[in-house]
């Protein structure tokens, strides 16, 4: 306690209070001061009570303002969410291309026996879903919905309208959906007539006994689907190998649907190749390109079909036309069949690996592991080829054939003639009995002829070559067999035949170069290897042959350069690494030479 007059304390507190009224923090400071001097003061001053009340009021006002701000923000967010949800519903409706099946009208007698309007609609939807699932181009498949499954019963507040009703209204205004519906009637003699119709499609009636109701529904659903989605229906017919139905459907659909002619012409070509009329397929593919000038699938098929109809040079010409079309990235367009003609096994490996990573690599003839394994075998990585093949279905004929093909490559590289014949004959047994194997390994008879001829079985070799006379590989391998017999003049003429079959492709030049190098004519061999490398710049074999020709001339530095170029396209080719090691050793680069030997051993 002090001797200070209480009134003087209150006066000082009043002065503090006048300054503290500027903010709530100042009021709190005044309150703290009051508490500190509470024991020295007398009864509470009314002014103090006023300050306390003012503090409570200010706090309440701040709290109310904060709550009001939160409520305004929440209201705004709810409004934004509603607008965003509505916008999403509008966008979904505008972009929907679904097939919506409405309940059919069905008479009471059929309904009692289970053929209700919803049951018939569900059966139609099942057929439509099956067609879409079996069509080749799955990216174009359309979702299928039953009309009553969209009846979402959540009601929008203050409107009495359900979300399902809003969704249907928006789809009706903005959507591009196709609605299927119809009716079923029964005649006095018990015959059922099922009438089906869709948006923009003339209805058709299918008649039969009630016991054949599933057939009537299937025929009706296929009819209506083929009219509003002709290209997918054509694909479905081809995928299910209904070639006679496709022959009837596709020409009429092509005439009736100008907007789908590109896709229909492509399917028409697929049909014609499937029934053994590839020359006509080329014509349809060129029609398809008029509407789809940059379509990868059409170009790939054109190159493949031209190969079958007109030969490798015609196919290569089409491949160059497609490569001249730049893609979105400014790079030349790529065709897998054209890569094979160029012997670009490195890019083939890259494409196959990318496809496996992106899609699982499933194709018409199976997984990309087959393509990957064969390409690695062509790059002389036989162990790597078999590792890749281990991921393919082991019992599939194409998988077994690929294994035999790799064994042929390895045996020929090792000059194991007996092993080459055994593997080639095993491959040929599959080739003659399985269409997919024959398509994938069209050059298999050529390799069989080479293995037989190098083993001295010339009659068998000629018979094999005769099955692939128009292939460059068969023509060049026939020359190799003549060369092995010492018939150089005949071999020279035959190499000329092979080169003339496809003068823009590298294969025949490469084989001619090997023959000239074996004769000791390194100068002419170098020219032929250079010709091959110009036509197949990413094929390792001509580059190695070029290096071998330079090494034969003692030009070790140039040889080492060519070997290094070849390694980029055959990184696990043991024979290449050993040749490179020799060149480096001659140049005194022993450490680098040893590294090449380690690669060869690995």
């Amino acid at each position: 306690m002090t001797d200070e007059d209480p009134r003087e304390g209150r006066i000082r507190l009043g002065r503090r209070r006048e300054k503290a009224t500027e903010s709530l923090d100042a009021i709190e400071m005044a309150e703290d001061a009051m508490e500190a001097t509470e024991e020295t003061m007398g009864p509470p001053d009314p002014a103090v009570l006023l300050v306390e009340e003012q503090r409570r009021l200010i706090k309440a006002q701040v709290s109310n303002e904060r709550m009001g701000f939160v409520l305004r923000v929440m209201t705004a967010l709810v409004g934004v969410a509603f607008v965003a949800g509505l916008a999403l519903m509008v966008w979904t409706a505008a972009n929907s291309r679904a097939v919506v099946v409405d309940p059919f009208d069905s008479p009471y007698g059929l309904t009692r026996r289970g053929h209700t309007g919803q049951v018939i609609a569900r059966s139609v939807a099942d057929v439509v879903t099956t067609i879409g699932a079996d069509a080749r181009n799955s990216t174009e498949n359309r979702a299928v919905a039953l009309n009553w499954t969209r009846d979402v019963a959540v009601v929008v507040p203050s409107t009495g309208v359900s979300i399902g009703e809003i969704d249907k209204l928006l789809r009706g205004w903005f959507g591009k959906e196709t609605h299927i519906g119809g009716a079923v009637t029964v005649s006095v003699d018990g015959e059922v007539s099922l009438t089906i119709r869709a948006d923009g499609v003339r209805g058709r009636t299918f008649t039969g006994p009630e016991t054949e109701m599933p057939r009537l529904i299937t025929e009706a659903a296929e009819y209506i689907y083929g009219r509003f989605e002709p290209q997918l229906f054509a694909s479905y017919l081809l995928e299910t190998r209904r070639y006679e139905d496709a022959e009837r459907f596709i020409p009429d659909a092509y005439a009736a649907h100008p907007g789908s002619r590109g896709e229909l012409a492509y399917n028409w070509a697929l049909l014609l190749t499937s029934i053994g009329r590839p020359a006509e397929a080329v014509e349809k593919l060129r029609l398809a390109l008029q509407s789809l000038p940059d379509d990868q699938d059409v170009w790939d098929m054109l190159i493949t079909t031209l190969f079958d109809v007109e030969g490798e040079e015609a196919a290569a010409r089409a491949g160059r036309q497609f490569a001249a079309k730049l893609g979105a990235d400014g790079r030349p367009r790529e065709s897998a069949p054209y890569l094979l003609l160029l012997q670009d096994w490195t890019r083939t490996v890259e494409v196959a690996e990318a496809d496996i990573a992106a899609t699982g690599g499933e194709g018409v003839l199976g997984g990309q592991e087959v393509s990957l394994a064969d390409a690695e075998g062509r790059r002389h990585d036989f162990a790597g080829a078999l590792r890749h093949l281990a991921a393919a279905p082991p019992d599939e004929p194409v998988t077994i054939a690929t294994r035999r093909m790799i064994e042929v490559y390895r045996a020929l590289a090792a000059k194991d003639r007996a092993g080459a014949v055994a593997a080639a004959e095993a491959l040929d047994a599959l080739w003659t009995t399985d269409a997919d194997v024959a398509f994938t390994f069209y050059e298999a008879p050529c390799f069989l002829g080479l293995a037989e001829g190098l083993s001295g079985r010339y009659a068998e070799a000629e018979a094999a070559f005769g099955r692939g006379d128009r292939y460059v590989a068969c023509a060049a391998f026939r020359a190799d067999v003549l060369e092995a017999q010492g018939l150089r003049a005949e071999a020279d003429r035959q190499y000329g035949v092979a080169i003339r079959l496809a003068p823009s492709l590298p294969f025949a030049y490469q084989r001619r170069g090997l023959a000239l190098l074996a004769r000791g004519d390194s100068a002419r061999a170098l020219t032929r290897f250079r010709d091959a490398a110009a036509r197949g710049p990413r094929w390792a074999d001509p580059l190695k042959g070029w290096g071998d020709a330079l090494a034969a001339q003692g030009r070790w530095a140039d040889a080492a350069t060519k070997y290094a170029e070849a390694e980029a396209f055959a990184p696990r080719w043991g024979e290449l690494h050993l040749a490179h090691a020799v060149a480096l050793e001659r140049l005194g680069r022993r450490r680098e030479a040893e590294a090449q030997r380690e690669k060869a051993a690995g």
Side-chain angles (χ1 to χ4, degrees), residues 131-401:
I131 294 172
D134 288 342
R136 289 178 186 273
N137 192 353
S138 60
T139 60
E140 294 294 328
N141 287 348
R142 297 170 65 174
V144 180
L146 296 166
N147 198 19
W148 61 91
T149 62
R150 291 179 169 179
D151 291 332
V152 182
V154 178
V155 177
V156 179
S158 303
T159 67
V161 180
S162 73
I163 292 177
E165 290 170 331
I166 294 175
D167 182 56
K168 286 184 180 180
L169 184 64
L170 292 174
R171 290 174 185 273
W173 285 349
F174 304 108
K176 302 173 184 176
E177 297 178 334
T178 299
H179 281 257
I180 299 176
V184 182
T185 60
V186 182
S187 67
V188 293
D189 58 359
E191 189 173 62
V192 173
S193 294
L194 189 157
T195 300
I196 193 167
R197 60 184 68 89
D199 297 336
V201 179
R202 180 180 299 176
R204 176 176 288 186
T205 300
F206 297 82
T207 303
E210 185 179 343
T211 55
E212 295 185 8
M213 195 70 156
R215 176 184 63 81
L216 298 178
I217 291 173
T218 298
E219 290 179 356
E222 288 185 352
Y223 160 76
I224 211 74
Y225 193 95
R227 269 60 190 176
F228 68 75
E229 202 67 274
Q231 66 274 19
L232 282 181
F233 187 63
S235 181
Y236 161 75
L237 292 175
L238 295 175
E239 192 68 20
T240 54
R241 302 193 178 190
R242 291 168 55 180
Y243 298 137
E244 291 184 4
D245 292 336
E247 280 191 90
R248 286 190 293 270
F249 173 78
I250 293 177
D252 291 342
Y254 182 86
H257 297 275
S260 300
R261 283 182 177 168
E263 294 85 354
L264 286 169
Y266 173 68
N267 282 312
W268 203 345
L270 287 172
L271 168 65
L272 291 167
T273 56
S274 299
I275 60 178
R277 293 155 59 183
E280 296 174 62
V282 170
E283 173 193 345
K284 304 308 178 189
L285 289 167
R286 296 200 185 281
L287 279 178
L289 288 176
Q290 293 177 11
S291 301
L292 307 169
D294 298 321
D295 190 281
Q296 175 86 44
D297 292 336
V298 179
W299 278 103
D300 283 351
M301 187 178 176
L302 177 62
I303 294 168
T304 302
T305 310
L306 281 171
F307 178 97
D308 190 36
V309 173
E310 300 179 25
E312 286 153 284
E313 187 62 25
R317 193 159 49 245
R320 287 192 295 273
Q321 290 173 355
F322 185 55
K325 294 175 173 291
L326 300 182
D329 57 359
R331 299 174 59 186
R333 303 293 294 272
E334 284 185 336
S335 167
Y338 186 47
L339 293 176
L340 301 183
L341 293 172
L342 296 179
Q343 311 290 318
D344 190 347
W345 309 112
T346 297
R347 185 58 186 156
T348 300
V349 167
E350 293 170 353
V351 170
E353 289 178 334
D355 189 41
I356 289 171
T359 67
E362 286 301 317
V364 176
L365 300 182
Q368 279 280 28
E369 291 86 4
V370 167
S371 297
L372 189 57
D374 183 62
E376 289 290 20
R378 294 277 194 157
R379 294 204 302 176
H380 309 278
D381 181 10
F382 309 120
L386 293 175
R387 281 197 302 273
H388 289 304
L389 194 61
D395 299 327
E396 290 291 330
V398 172
T399 303
I400 299 170

Side-chain angles (χ1 to χ4, degrees), residues 319-485:
R320 287 192 295 273
Q321 290 173 355
F322 185 55
K325 294 175 173 291
L326 300 182
D329 57 359
R331 299 174 59 186
R333 303 293 294 272
E334 284 185 336
S335 167
Y338 186 47
L339 293 176
L340 301 183
L341 293 172
L342 296 179
Q343 311 290 318
D344 190 347
W345 309 112
T346 297
R347 185 58 186 156
T348 300
V349 167
E350 293 170 353
V351 170
E353 289 178 334
D355 189 41
I356 289 171
T359 67
E362 286 301 317
V364 176
L365 300 182
Q368 279 280 28
E369 291 86 4
V370 167
S371 297
L372 189 57
D374 183 62
E376 289 290 20
R378 294 277 194 157
R379 294 204 302 176
H380 309 278
D381 181 10
F382 309 120
L386 293 175
R387 281 197 302 273
H388 289 304
L389 194 61
D395 299 327
E396 290 291 330
V398 172
T399 303
I400 299 170
T402 305
R403 187 176 302 276
R404 297 291 175 260
M405 191 77 256
I406 293 167
E407 291 170 358
V408 172
Y409 299 150
R410 180 163 53 187
L412 289 173
K415 297 181 172 54
D416 177 8
R417 296 177 177 178
V421 169
E425 288 180 341
L427 173 60
D428 190 62
L430 289 167
W431 191 93
T432 56
T433 57
D434 191 283
D436 289 345
V437 171
F439 177 83
T440 305
F441 296 107
Y442 61 89
E443 292 177 330
C446 307
F447 281 92
L448 174 63
L450 178 62
E452 299 276 18
L454 294 179
S455 299
R457 302 167 62 175
Y458 303 123
E460 292 87 344
E462 274 303 308
F465 290 141
R467 287 152 56 191
D469 256 340
R470 59 200 181 85
Y471 298 144
V472 172
C474 279
F477 286 160
R478 178 184 273 127
D480 289 347
V481 172
L482 292 169
E483 182 75 16
Q485 296 177 71

